[in-house]
């Protein structure tokens, strides 16, 4: 089977470690048919920025060497044509693949290839080695290399490692497992093949599983929708097995931002009510928390109610269900050392959480933890920011405007301009359900290193 495939064994050198911020300085490609190398290509690349001294020392590639080298756009067609129909192979493949994808994105082109990592293959086929950096494999297989950290030299070393892996995996089992992302082809529905899955982009967005007569079975979201769809087939859950067997077609919608994917997924589920999005459908009416009384002593009371559309804005905190609401409030009381002073009483569909007069301690012991509890509960009001997600593209970013913890506007902006150039009237109004609003804020706070989070400019105050 290996002889029917073609592999593009690739190595790149760069100005740094971030594919979104740094650029290529060199690329080398060897086309392999499973037996021999058929063709090669190498080129220095002008990165359009200075190469840091550390990188110059590591690779030996200097600013003078790339000054007259071609820009990436000048060799892009060559890379596309050489690697067309090939499996993209590299040691630590995600590094090389993401850098090349990122360069193509700057040109407005979507570059997608199936991938194979020689490091992962080595771990699978030679577990006795223990360490799997390219230097270690060069020593283990006694490969002769003149230099390291130059693209063609590393490609030639990777070719030799690749040949060892081909020889070891005579039955193609390890190759097939990694190339197919762990998907057994026999498990795919008859109407789908692996190429259909590989055509799904590796970007943020939502995906749809459709059954007979385009009946919508399931909707999901991910920052990498191709990877997530493939995981449904390679590592199916009890629920996913039920809709996979009925799947006739898979579609997708790119959002450019994982935050936008959260919002769009909720919108689609509410409108189209997919059959197997049971959990999300059950939580269309989650629970919210009111602080009913704030008096000192025995007068402090909170109430948990089912959220109705017309009363959403009255809640200071939301929860996905009654059970989740009760557990989280209990957790907050325990966190602040207040759990022994409160009771939980049912009142129809609501829950009343109130202080017990006989248990309340002296005010000095009670006031401080109570203030800390209220600060936790009112976390949303302090979220007064514009959040910028620059993963949308190399030229544009998505922005999300929160006014006192409520998402009010979304839109795109030029990355070079930044938030100083945002006109509120150019953005789209956005008022997601309160529970989803809070979910988005929690997600941003959890992943805040991914985003630029700035205080809301004064010109947004009236919106």
């Amino acid at each position: 089977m290996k002889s029917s495939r073609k592999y593009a064994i690739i190595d790149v050198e760069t100005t740094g470690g971030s594919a979104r911020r740094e650029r290529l300085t060199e690329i080398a490609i060897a086309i392999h048919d499973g037996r021999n190398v058929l063709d090669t290509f190498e080129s220095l690349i002008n990165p359009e920025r200075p190469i840091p001294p550390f990188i110059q020392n590591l690779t030996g590639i200097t600013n003078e060497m790339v000054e007259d080298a071609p820009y990436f756009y000048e060799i892009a067609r060559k890379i596309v044509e050489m690697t067309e129909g090939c499996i993209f192979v590299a040691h630590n493949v995600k590094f090389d693949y993401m850098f090349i994808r990122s360069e193509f994105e700057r040109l407005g082109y979507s570059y997608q290839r199936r991938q194979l990592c020689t490091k992962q293959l080595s771990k699978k086929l030679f577990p006795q080695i223990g360490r799997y950096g390219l230097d270690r494999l060069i020593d283990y297989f006694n490969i002769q290399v003149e230099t390291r950290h130059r693209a063609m030299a590393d490609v030639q070393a990777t070719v030799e490692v690749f040949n060892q892996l081909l020889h070891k995996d005579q039955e193609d089992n390890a190759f097939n497992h990694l190339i197919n992302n762990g998907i057994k082809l026999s498990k795919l529905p008859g109407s789908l093949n692996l190429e259909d899955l590989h055509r799904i982009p590796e970007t943020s967005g939502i995906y749809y599983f459709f059954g007979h007569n385009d009946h919508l079975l399931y909707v999901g979201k991910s920052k990498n929708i191709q990877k997530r769809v493939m995981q449904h087939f390679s590592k199916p859950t009890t629920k996913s097995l039920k809709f996979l067997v009925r799947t006739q077609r898979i579609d997708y919608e790119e959002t450019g931002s994982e935050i936008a994917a959260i919002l769009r997924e909720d919108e689609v589920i509410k409108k189209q009510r997919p059959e197997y999005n049971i959990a999300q459908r059950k939580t269309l009416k989650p629970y919210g928390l009111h602080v009913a009384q704030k008096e000192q002593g025995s007068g402090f009371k909170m109430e948990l109610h089912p959220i109705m559309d017309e009363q959403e804005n009255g809640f200071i905190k939301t929860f996905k269900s009654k059970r989740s609401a009760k557990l989280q409030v209990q957790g907050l009381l325990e966190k602040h050392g207040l759990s022994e002073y409160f009771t939980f009483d049912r009142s129809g569909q609501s829950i009343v959480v109130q202080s017990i007069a006989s248990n309340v301690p002296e005010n000095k012991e009670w006031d401080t933890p109570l203030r800390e509890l209220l600060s936790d509960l009112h976390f949303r009001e302090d979220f007064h920011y514009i959040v910028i997600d620059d993963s949308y593209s190399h030229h544009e970013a998505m922005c999300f405007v929160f006014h006192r913890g409520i998402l009010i506007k979304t839109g795109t902006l030029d990355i070079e301009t930044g938030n100083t150039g945002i006109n509120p009237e150019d953005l789209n109004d956005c008022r997601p359900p309160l529970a989803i609003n809070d979910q988005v804020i929690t997600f941003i706070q959890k992943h805040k290193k991914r985003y630029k989070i700035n205080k809301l400019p004064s010109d947004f105050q009236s919106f």
Side-chain angles (χ1 to χ4, degrees):
M1 183 180 292
K2 287 191 281 277
S3 61
S4 65
R5 296 183 181 136
K6 286 174 66 178
Y7 305 88
I9 301 173
I10 298 176
D11 185 77
V12 299
E13 302 300 333
T14 72
T15 59
S18 169
R20 292 204 65 80
R21 293 190 297 272
E22 305 296 342
R23 304 296 299 271
L24 295 183
T25 59
E26 189 176 39
I27 187 170
I29 304 172
I31 304 301
H32 199 295
D33 67 356
R35 293 176 300 230
N36 303 296
V37 172
L38 306 178
D39 194 9
T40 62
F41 171 75
E42 64 178 314
S43 178
L44 288 167
I45 300 170
N46 188 324
E48 303 180 64
R49 68 183 57 188
I51 303 172
F54 166 74
I55 300 294
Q56 293 187 54
N57 292 332
L58 177 68
T59 65
I61 300 173
T62 65
N63 291 314
E64 292 73 23
M65 290 170 63
V66 298
E67 184 176 358
D68 296 322
Y71 296 106
F72 183 81
Y73 74 85
E74 296 179 88
I75 62 171
R77 179 184 291 274
K78 177 71 172 179
I79 295 169
V80 171
E81 292 174 349
M82 277 195 78
T83 63
E84 185 71 35
C86 294
I87 295 163
F88 188 111
V89 180
H91 206 71
N92 286 322
V93 69
K94 287 299 180 186
F95 179 87
D96 302 82
Y97 182 69
M98 291 306 297
F99 262 94
I100 291 177
R101 268 196 62 193
S102 191
E103 291 285 1
F104 276 107
E105 284 176 7
R106 291 186 180 96
L107 302 179
Y109 180 84
S110 177
Y111 181 86
Q112 289 195 189
R113 298 290 185 267
R114 288 182 290 169
Q115 300 141 58
L116 184 62
C117 182
T118 50
K119 184 174 184 179
Q120 292 181 18
L121 265 176
S122 300
K123 287 181 180 180
K124 196 172 186 68
L125 294 171
F126 294 91
Q128 70 275 16
I129 297 179
R131 292 182 292 111
Y132 298 92
L134 189 55
D135 283 328
R136 174 68 179 117
L137 295 179
I138 287 170
D139 291 339
Y140 184 83
F141 293 122
N142 195 28
I143 297 169
Q144 300 302 310
V145 181
E146 292 183 6
T147 184
R148 282 282 282 112
H149 301 297
R150 288 300 300 270
M152 184 51 78
D154 284 359
V155 160
Q156 290 170 344
T158 305
V159 166
E160 294 303 318
V161 171
F162 188 70
N163 288 334
Q164 294 286 343
L165 298 171
L166 285 167
H167 180 73
K168 181 74 171 178
D169 191 31
Q170 292 292 322
E171 300 300 319
D172 259 359
N173 292 329
F175 272 68
N176 283 333
H177 181 82
L178 290 180
I179 292 171
N180 298 342
N181 294 87
I183 299 171
K184 294 181 180 178
L185 299 184
S186 60
K187 299 296 184 182
L188 286 176
S191 58
L192 296 174
N193 58 51
L194 200 58
E195 291 304 316
D196 294 324
L197 304 188
H198 279 290
R199 278 192 284 270
I200 299 170
E202 299 177 84
T203 56
S204 295
I206 65 172
Y207 55 89
Y208 305 79
F209 282 82
F210 291 95
H212 184 63
N213 288 333
D214 258 9
H215 172 65
L216 185 55
L217 300 171
Y218 184 78
V219 173
K221 66 178 183 302
S222 179
K223 66 179 180 180
N224 183 331
I225 49 180
Q226 182 194 102
K227 181 179 179 181
R228 185 68 190 99
V229 168
M230 288 186 169
Q231 285 175 342
H232 281 297
F233 290 98
S234 62
K235 299 176 182 177
T237 62
T238 301
K239 180 177 76 172
S240 63
L241 282 171
K242 293 178 181 178
F243 64 77
L244 291 178
V245 73
R246 296 173 55 190
T247 297
Q248 298 288 313
R249 182 171 71 88
I250 298 173
D251 204 351
Y252 61 87
E253 184 178 334
E254 295 180 85
T255 61
S257 165
E258 197 170 0
I259 299 171
I262 294 172
L263 299 169
R264 180 61 178 149
E265 181 197 41
D266 178 71
E267 181 183 6
V268 170
I269 290 172
K270 280 182 169 58
K271 288 181 179 178
Q272 302 190 34
R273 299 180 66 80
E275 182 178 344
Y276 287 92
N277 288 92
I278 298 171
Q280 292 99 321
R281 282 165 45 201
K282 283 186 176 179
T283 60
L284 292 179
K285 300 297 181 186
Y287 268 65
L289 177 70
H290 284 299
V291 174
Q293 290 177 278
K294 298 182 182 179
E295 290 86 352
Q296 294 179 349
S298 60
F300 190 84
K301 183 168 69 172
M302 299 178 285
E303 296 176 356
L304 293 162
H305 300 284
I307 295 178
M308 308 302 290
D309 291 338
E310 65 273 11
Q311 58 180 201
E312 271 202 337
N313 290 335
F315 295 108
I316 63 169
K317 191 172 178 63
T318 60
F319 312 88
K320 65 181 181 180
S321 66
K322 180 193 285 189
R323 181 174 182 273
S324 175
K326 184 175 179 181
L327 288 174
Q328 288 192 50
V329 171
Q330 285 175 332
L332 284 170
L333 292 174
E334 289 173 7
K335 172 185 174 181
H336 296 287
L338 295 169
S339 56
E340 63 183 292
Y341 308 129
F342 283 84
T343 61
F344 286 73
D345 302 305
R346 293 181 61 180
S347 176
Q349 290 295 313
S350 302
I351 299 175
V352 178
V353 186
Q354 58 187 344
S355 53
I356 309 168
S358 58
N359 285 7
V360 172
E362 294 295 327
N363 284 344
K364 289 184 180 179
E365 299 176 35
W366 167 263
D367 286 350
T368 298
L370 197 59
R371 281 196 301 270
E372 292 172 349
L373 171 66
L374 282 168
S375 177
D376 265 5
L377 292 175
H378 286 277
F379 82 103
R380 186 198 303 130
E381 292 184 4
D382 296 328
F383 202 82
H384 200 60
Y385 297 102
I386 182 166
V387 179
I388 299 174
D389 181 354
D390 63 6
S391 67
Y392 182 69
S393 78
H394 285 282
H395 309 291
E396 290 184 306
M398 289 200 74
C399 62
F400 303 87
V401 179
F402 292 86
H403 183 266
R404 296 200 177 280
I406 301 297
L407 179 59
I408 58 170
K409 286 184 176 289
T410 65
T412 59
L413 65 147
D414 188 282
I415 285 179
E416 293 184 2
T417 303
N419 67 318
T420 56
I422 300 174
N423 182 347
E425 295 181 353
D426 292 338
L427 302 178
N428 301 314
D429 291 333
C430 182
R431 294 295 175 108
L434 199 56
I436 300 301
N437 184 96
D438 289 1
Q439 180 185 337
V440 168
I441 293 176
T442 301
F443 177 85
I444 291 169
Q445 290 174 325
K446 181 178 180 181
H447 303 285
K448 58 186 176 183
K449 290 184 179 180
R450 298 183 190 175
Y451 307 111
K452 296 175 182 175
I453 303 176
N454 302 314
K455 280 289 186 181
L456 194 63
S458 58
D459 55 351
F460 277 90
Q461 301 303 315
S462 60
F463 283 83

